[in-house]
Amino acid sequence: MTNRDFEKFMDSGISSLQKGDILAARGYFEKAFKADDNVWVRNNLAYVYYETKNSLKAYKILEPLGSPYDDSFYWAKEEPTSTVGKLWAKALVFIGRATVSGRKEKVAVIAVIL
């Protein structure tokens, strides 16, 4: 696949999200992920997995980015080292717990525009 294919998949995925078609967006982001494994694709893919009630897959897709719990909260003194921690420090992702279908789950909340 070419870089142009990757861009088409990402653009189509974002367009599908804006139209509210989560399943189509998931398909496009999965194709983009096969073309290029990067943090932006993983964030979008985790979001659509979460929206389709698959929080386990959402967590698994973010897992290789590192755990923010290894990072300090005192970012004025020491910057976070994990990818998720860096995104968290810039308010691009929020890590926490939520009740999903009556169960406590670890979640990552990611802005749709990412």
Side-chain angles (χ1 to χ4, degrees):
M1 278 187 216
T2 66
N3 194 30
R4 183 177 280 264
D5 290 334
F6 169 76
E7 290 173 6
K8 277 189 349 188
F9 294 140
M10 286 298 288
D11 289 343
S12 296
I14 290 167
S15 176
S16 295
L17 277 179
Q18 290 170 341
K19 293 175 187 170
D21 190 351
I22 298 293
L23 293 177
R26 185 178 71 187
Y28 288 121
F29 291 138
E30 285 172 344
K31 289 177 184 177
F33 182 67
K34 287 179 184 173
D36 185 9
D37 178 355
N38 68 55
V39 68
W40 309 114
V41 178
R42 284 183 180 272
N43 279 340
N44 284 317
L45 196 50
Y47 172 75
V48 295
Y49 282 143
Y50 178 77
E51 283 296 307
T52 56
K53 309 293 186 246
N54 196 337
S55 56
L56 180 62
K57 257 195 164 177
Y59 174 72
K60 288 290 184 194
I61 202 76
L62 289 176
E63 200 171 37
L65 299 179
S67 170
Y69 298 109
D70 296 334
D71 293 323
S72 167
F73 280 97
Y74 303 103
W75 294 326
K77 295 179 183 175
E78 190 175 324
E79 297 242 349
T81 55
S82 70
T83 304
V84 172
K86 290 174 186 175
L87 291 170
W88 196 4
K90 294 178 181 181
L92 296 174
V93 66
F94 298 96
I95 309 297
R97 297 209 177 266
T99 303
V100 180
S101 301
R103 294 182 3 204
K104 293 254 184 201
E105 299 280 353
K106 186 184 213 179
V107 296
V109 180
I110 303 156
V112 175
I113 59 169
L114 295 178

